[in-house]
Amino acid sequence: MIEIERKFILRDAAVINELKARDIDVQQKEVTQIYVKITPLEEIRFREASGVFTITQKSGIGLAREENESETDAKSFKKALKSAVAAPIKKTRFLFKLDGAACNVDIFHGALEGLVTFEAEFASEREAAEFSLPEFIAAHVTGEVTEDERYKNKNLALFGLPQGSFDAQKCIEILRNSPGLELNLPSYIGAMDAMRTVFFQIFTLLGRHLNEYASSSDAEALHQIRINLRKTRSLLKIFAPVFDCKTARHFLLNFKKLAELTNQKRDIDVFCEFLQKQKGFEGLASELEILSKTLAKSVQAELQSEEANEILRDWEVFLREGSDFFKGELGDAPIKKIVAKSMRAQILRLKKSLSNLSQTTENAQFHKCRIEIKRLRYLSEIFGSGFGFPAAKKCFKKSKILQETFGSLQDADIWLGLLAHVKSGAEQKRIDKLQAKIYKKIYELRSEILDSKPKILKSLTKLSHGLKIYYI
């Protein structure tokens, strides 16, 4: 059959009371619908409406679309939930007739809270064109969206509410005092506003940890400094088309210099923490603690230097002023589409890197793969909440676990490298035994990564397919 309908946005749900006041028979249903396939011209939808289950296939765009619907069951619906490619839509639907035309008002819930729509279905395009809204409904209408693809249910499931404004400057002022707030960026805002906001949150957290480290030399504060510098650099690389290339290269280089100031201190701390758990190396661990404290003073001085402060001041100016730095080729593109495309590109790089790992691969290649999976983790932590379909959630969770395993492998490699340069009073036999223990740990971690490789590659493939629909 051909579905011919017109859709309007309502100011609120008050029209329901007017329908009832006019003694119009209204049926109410609680609806949950999910999508297992979405393309620009086709969709496959499963729906539960007050205990009745249906599967619908639609094709086409605009006023008239082909529609095929049939009944299904709860078991099929539950199975479809696991294969969903977008967030579920929940709404309360009120069905009624006006002058013989089947109509409904949908009140959306959850992430789409506040959206209320009126739809009317017709037997022909001529009827649709001649349809005039009754005055009591027209009084509640804010606009017609029949031809606006953003308001199709499939796109609401993918991108959320298209209306509304976003004040990046206001968000920046809020984050200045509360940088720990969870960002939930609207899908349709431009990449410039989105990345300014994300970068400013990271910058504010970085500043707080820099101040904390300056006053306490706390190892966790230094760790967080490193994380926020890496996040900034990763996002500058991943979203390169959003920024001015020359300026981005300048900040990439300088943030790299800041991060490298902390490398030796971090390596000594990791090695010291490891040795403290080993019998017979208490003296060496104590010596390393003294060295770590000396390094801490040097790192503190470098991070508080005029050169470092100038880099951070320049970066803050770019973020606060929303300069031309953010007006690259894709600066105005919707952030969710850019994130989906960038995330998918990162997945392809990661899959290639993972596929090249084997029992004979050197550790250095494992460490390069760790960087790729870490970039995906940063993307999922910052933007992952916008991709709520099951394949995404599973993959983000698996990637996080695997990245931690890669991190443990790198730490063990660092221990091995540092231990090779140790000159201590400990017996050589004891050092050899400790080296053997580290080698064993490295072998176990490499095996764990390689054993998990088929599953994570499969999960990454599913996520990649799911992301593609957000920007095609």
Side-chain angles (χ1 to χ4, degrees):
M1 61 177 290
I2 300 296
E3 176 194 60
I4 303 170
E5 66 179 17
R6 290 175 65 180
K7 179 183 286 191
F8 303 83
I9 301 297
L10 299 180
R11 188 172 293 104
D12 50 42
V15 71
I16 300 300
N17 292 329
E18 297 208 31
L19 289 168
K20 293 177 179 178
R22 285 168 168 74
D23 292 326
I24 295 174
D25 184 35
V26 178
Q27 290 184 320
Q28 179 177 337
K29 293 184 178 181
E30 299 303 319
V31 176
T32 299
Q33 58 191 52
I34 54 174
Y35 293 85
V36 296
K37 181 178 182 180
I38 297 176
T39 72
L41 297 176
E42 185 183 11
E43 64 190 71
I44 298 178
R45 179 195 72 203
F46 281 77
R47 172 185 283 170
E48 178 193 3
S50 298
V52 177
F53 298 89
T54 56
I55 177 173
T56 304
Q57 182 175 3
K58 294 185 179 184
S59 58
I61 59 174
L63 177 69
R65 297 190 295 167
E66 185 176 343
E67 177 182 293
N68 294 292
E69 184 171 283
S70 59
E71 286 193 15
T72 185
D73 54 28
K75 184 178 179 180
S76 297
F77 183 84
K78 189 175 181 180
K79 184 178 179 180
L81 273 171
K82 298 179 181 180
S83 304
V85 296
I89 286 181
K90 293 183 180 292
K91 57 189 179 182
T92 301
R93 168 161 284 188
F94 297 88
L95 300 105
F96 52 94
K97 286 193 174 184
L98 291 176
D99 297 328
C103 303
N104 63 265
V105 169
D106 285 342
I107 302 173
F108 291 81
H109 307 301
L112 300 173
E113 192 75 41
L115 177 63
V116 184
T117 62
F118 166 78
E119 294 177 331
E121 294 189 10
F122 307 95
S124 69
E125 292 188 36
R126 180 179 177 180
E127 282 186 22
E130 293 177 349
F131 175 73
S132 181
L133 283 168
E135 278 190 30
F136 77 94
I137 291 182
H140 296 272
V141 169
T142 61
E144 182 171 1
V145 291
T146 301
E147 301 291 341
D148 191 337
E149 289 296 311
R150 298 177 303 166
Y151 284 92
K152 298 298 182 187
N153 276 257
K154 66 177 183 180
N155 287 323
L156 290 173
L158 288 173
F159 298 106
L161 291 171
Q163 78 264 34
S165 59
F166 181 80
D167 189 335
Q169 200 63 43
K170 185 176 181 180
C171 286
I172 283 173
E173 292 306 313
I174 292 172
L175 289 171
R176 186 169 62 86
N177 298 313
S178 305
L181 292 174
E182 182 180 352
L183 290 181
N184 194 357
L185 298 168
S187 299
Y188 284 96
I189 66 170
M192 179 180 74
D193 285 340
M195 295 313 300
R196 272 186 70 203
T197 306
V198 169
F199 276 138
F200 190 83
Q201 182 181 46
I202 296 171
F203 170 78
T204 307
L205 290 170
L206 174 62
R208 290 197 173 189
H209 293 305
L210 282 167
N211 291 334
E212 184 182 355
Y213 188 68
S215 61
S216 68
S217 299
D218 180 66
E220 178 58 26
L222 183 64
H223 177 59
Q224 293 301 323
I225 289 170
R226 290 168 58 83
I227 287 176
N228 285 291
L229 285 171
R230 285 199 300 260
K231 279 186 179 179
T232 302
R233 295 188 70 244
S234 290
L235 294 174
L236 281 170
K237 290 180 179 179
I238 292 169
F239 295 97
V242 174
F243 316 118
D244 173 72
C245 296
K246 185 177 179 180
T247 310
R249 282 196 298 270
H250 166 76
F251 282 115
L252 276 168
L253 177 62
N254 283 290
F255 287 141
K256 182 180 181 180
K257 288 179 180 177
L258 288 179
E260 287 177 344
L261 294 174
T262 69
N263 287 347
Q264 187 181 14
K265 171 71 168 64
R266 189 264 180 191
D267 290 347
I268 294 296
D269 286 345
V270 171
F271 190 43
C272 186
E273 185 179 346
F274 167 66
L275 285 177
Q276 288 171 343
K277 299 175 183 177
Q278 313 304 316
K279 291 182 179 180
F281 289 88
E282 292 83 0
L284 179 58
S286 180
E287 290 178 21
L288 288 173
E289 283 185 2
I290 295 172
L291 176 59
S292 176
K293 289 178 182 178
T294 302
L295 287 171
K297 293 179 181 179
S298 173
V299 173
Q300 282 176 320
E302 292 283 4
L303 291 176
Q304 295 177 71
S305 68
E306 181 57 34
E307 183 181 359
N309 284 326
E310 185 178 354
I311 294 167
L312 295 173
R313 282 197 300 269
D314 287 348
W315 184 234
E316 184 177 12
V317 169
F318 277 99
L319 298 179
R320 283 189 175 278
E321 293 182 355
S323 66
D324 287 345
F325 169 63
F326 293 94
K327 294 182 180 178
E329 180 185 351
L330 298 179
D332 293 325
I335 185 59
K336 195 163 189 177
K337 291 189 176 184
I338 292 183
V339 169
K341 193 169 186 177
S342 300
M343 195 178 287
R344 189 163 182 261
Q346 183 59 36
I347 288 170
L348 294 176
R349 286 191 290 268
L350 175 56
K351 286 178 66 178
K352 183 178 180 180
S353 186
L354 277 170
S355 297
N356 290 333
L357 299 182
S358 68
Q359 290 288 1
T360 59
T361 305
E362 294 183 358
N363 282 349
Q365 199 61 41
F366 278 79
H367 300 330
K368 288 181 180 179
C369 191
R370 177 188 64 85
I371 293 172
E372 298 294 351
I373 200 167
K374 185 175 287 187
R375 286 175 180 165
L376 179 61
R377 179 175 176 178
Y378 291 155
L379 285 172
S380 66
E381 287 176 347
I382 297 169
F383 302 105
S385 60
F387 304 95
F389 55 95
K393 291 180 179 179
K394 287 182 181 179
C395 189
F396 293 152
K397 184 177 180 180
K398 288 180 181 178
S399 298
K400 180 180 179 180
I401 294 170
L402 187 59
Q403 188 259 319
E404 290 170 352
T405 306
F406 271 103
S408 297
L409 176 61
Q410 186 193 36
D411 288 343
D413 217 13
I414 289 172
W415 302 336
L416 202 60
L418 291 173
L419 194 60
H421 295 87
V422 165
K423 293 180 180 179
S424 74
E427 298 177 3
Q428 186 61 43
K429 184 181 289 187
R430 186 176 294 165
I431 293 177
D432 291 343
K433 187 176 181 180
L434 187 56
Q435 283 180 326
K437 183 177 180 180
I438 297 172
Y439 273 119
K440 182 182 178 182
K441 183 176 182 66
I442 287 175
Y443 174 79
E444 290 172 348
L445 289 167
R446 284 169 57 100
S447 296
E448 184 178 342
I449 290 169
L450 293 173
D451 289 345
S452 64
K453 192 171 78 167
K455 287 186 177 180
I456 191 66
L457 284 172
K458 184 178 180 180
S459 185
L460 287 167
T461 299
K462 286 185 177 180
L463 174 56
S464 179
H465 288 164
L467 290 170
K468 188 176 181 180
I469 63 178
Y470 285 86
Y471 64 87
I472 56 175

